[in-house]
Amino acid sequence: MDQKKIIITIKRKAFGLLSGCFTNKIGETVSNNEEIKRILICRPNHRLGNLLLISPLVQELESTFPNSEIDLLVNHSCAVQLYQNYENVDQVIAFPRNPFKNPIKFIRAFVQFRSKKYDLAINAAKESCSGKLFTSISKASFKFVGDRGTDKKERHIAKQVIYSLREFLPNIGAKPNDAMPSILDLRLANDELIHGGSLVYDIVQNAQPTICLYTHKSYKKTWWLDLYEHLQKAFPDVNIIEILSKENSSKIGFRAPVLYSNDVRELAAMIANTDVFIGADSGVMQLASSSLTPTIGLFSVTDTEKYKPYNEGSVAVNTNEVELDALIAVVKNALYPNLDTSA
């Protein structure tokens, strides 16, 4: 049997097991949270934003099951770098993005996945069919697929799974957390922040506040140039720098100093040393939020409530409803949160 046929056979068997594997066996429970020691989070996706959006779930599990080890099942990505400072994260099981082009890697990852037993497996995104599949066929005593008992009042993708998991845990005898869900957090180390600060200072050469723009996504060059000119006029004493995409393109014609790094942690550390990030909904926007920088997320197509940044000082702006002058006011509030604008 060739490698492609092996992959097809694995998938067919997996789908055959899918029904009836969504939760724990009837009557089985734990006596306390200490019994949950090995946890698997299934998010078979390679996109930067989607992988960062599971960081609140990882923090939730750290708090609820502090002595646990957490494995992440993802598609081949930078997940190892993203979670390198999470002590509870043990292994990253990385499947290739296209199993038919990389059958050997797929089989190795599948063998790694099936070789481990878990106390709890979690599908991190209820809309993910592949996440449901891997959760259901995992060797876990308890399986949370996430398509039942969902708190319909919460739409944010990072928070939704947390509230749903909290509803599920009492069914297996575990005590859920009751604190507010955590924000996205890359957990940048002090040396990373110092390094990022030096890189930003090399660009701006002063101690003035700095606005960071990411112009790669969604909007036309004319829109970004209009915004850039509005920012220059409104904040003449503020630095404006632009993050370049991997294509090394600028939608403001390289009018502002630029920064770029193909290292996600270095890029986040640079953003962390700016005062406000402005960018369209994207993985880099979520990276900015994960760096704990006040983030202004621009939305025109994607679901604002589902993907908005929610760390302190951050806000989502629907540009279909907000004019540039109003957006500038939002930027001012983010730059100077303690400024009294009532006068």
Side-chain angles (χ1 to χ4, degrees):
M1 185 180 294
D2 63 34
Q3 293 166 343
K4 287 188 176 181
K5 287 183 178 179
I6 291 173
I7 292 174
I8 293 171
T9 301
I10 289 172
K11 288 189 172 183
R12 284 176 178 172
K13 289 184 177 180
F15 277 107
L17 291 169
L18 190 56
S19 60
C21 294
F22 292 129
T23 59
N24 54 298
K25 296 178 181 179
I26 296 175
E28 286 189 359
T29 60
V30 296
S31 58
N32 58 65
N33 288 19
E34 295 296 321
E35 293 184 29
I36 304 293
K37 298 183 180 299
R38 296 174 300 278
I39 301 174
L40 174 69
I41 295 176
C42 295
R43 190 62 170 111
N45 193 286
H46 71 278
R47 294 185 180 277
L48 175 63
N50 287 332
L51 295 174
L52 288 166
L53 283 162
I54 65 173
S55 64
L57 174 60
V58 176
Q59 295 172 73
E60 175 80 4
L61 294 170
E62 286 179 331
S63 177
T64 307
F65 308 106
N67 297 320
S68 64
E69 291 183 350
I70 302 168
D71 286 357
L72 306 179
L73 187 151
V74 300
N75 282 357
H76 185 71
S77 62
C78 56
V80 172
Q81 289 75 30
L82 297 180
Y83 291 93
Q84 69 181 39
N85 287 345
Y86 278 77
E87 292 184 2
N88 287 53
V89 172
D90 184 28
Q91 290 187 330
V92 174
I93 302 170
F95 281 80
R97 300 181 194 180
N98 189 326
F100 295 107
K101 289 184 178 180
N102 301 279
I104 294 177
K105 288 183 179 180
F106 178 88
I107 293 169
R108 286 176 178 171
F110 191 84
V111 170
Q112 181 187 8
F113 158 64
R114 289 289 291 171
S115 67
K116 295 195 69 174
K117 293 183 179 181
Y118 297 96
D119 299 307
L120 176 63
I122 300 166
N123 171 35
K126 70 172 185 176
E127 297 168 358
S128 171
C129 293
S130 55
K132 292 179 181 180
L133 174 62
F134 280 111
T135 302
S136 68
I137 65 173
S138 66
K139 290 184 177 179
S141 301
F142 306 104
K143 303 173 184 180
F144 174 72
V145 175
D147 59 351
R148 300 178 182 179
T150 301
D151 186 340
K152 296 180 180 179
K153 295 180 181 179
E154 180 54 65
R155 291 172 53 195
H156 198 283
I157 189 171
K159 297 179 183 180
Q160 191 177 64
V161 62
I162 291 172
Y163 285 119
S164 298
L165 180 65
R166 290 177 181 182
E167 292 180 14
F168 170 79
L169 289 179
N171 297 326
I172 66 171
K175 183 180 179 181
N177 189 6
D178 59 2
M180 290 293 292
S182 299
I183 59 175
L184 279 64
D185 190 354
L186 200 57
R187 293 186 178 173
L188 292 165
N190 286 337
D191 59 338
E192 292 177 301
L193 292 169
I194 293 169
H195 174 64
S198 67
L199 294 174
V200 171
Y201 186 80
D202 287 344
I203 295 172
V204 299
Q205 292 290 311
N206 62 60
Q208 295 294 102
T210 300
I211 295 172
C212 181
L213 290 178
Y214 181 62
T215 67
H216 178 57
K217 299 276 285 188
S218 301
Y219 299 91
K220 295 180 179 179
K221 289 183 178 180
T222 53
W223 190 91
W224 282 112
L225 280 169
D226 198 8
L227 173 61
Y228 178 65
E229 290 170 0
H230 273 71
L231 291 170
Q232 282 186 308
K233 184 178 179 180
F235 310 108
D237 297 323
V238 172
N239 304 308
I240 302 175
I241 60 177
E242 181 185 12
I243 295 175
L244 292 183
S245 66
K246 62 182 179 181
E247 291 82 9
N248 199 37
S249 62
S250 166
K251 287 190 176 180
I252 58 173
F254 296 95
R255 296 190 184 186
V258 299
L259 60 85
Y260 172 77
S261 176
N262 59 7
D263 182 317
V264 290
R265 297 193 69 87
E266 182 178 65
L267 181 59
M270 289 190 284
I271 297 172
N273 281 278
T274 64
D275 296 272
V276 176
F277 171 93
I278 305 172
D281 177 31
S282 64
V284 175
M285 182 200 76
Q286 303 296 356
L287 186 70
S289 180
S290 300
S291 77
L292 310 185
T293 296
T295 300
I296 299 175
L298 307 177
F299 290 77
S300 61
V301 178
T302 49
D303 189 333
T304 304
E305 292 302 315
K306 189 173 182 178
Y307 297 109
K308 65 183 179 182
Y310 64 95
N311 58 305
E312 185 176 358
S314 295
V315 64
V317 175
N318 186 333
T319 55
N320 297 317
E321 302 172 355
V322 174
E323 299 293 335
L324 279 182
D325 287 341
L327 178 55
I328 294 300
V330 172
V331 177
K332 185 175 182 180
N333 287 335
L335 270 175
Y336 309 110
N338 299 319
L339 183 65
D340 184 1
T341 59
S342 60

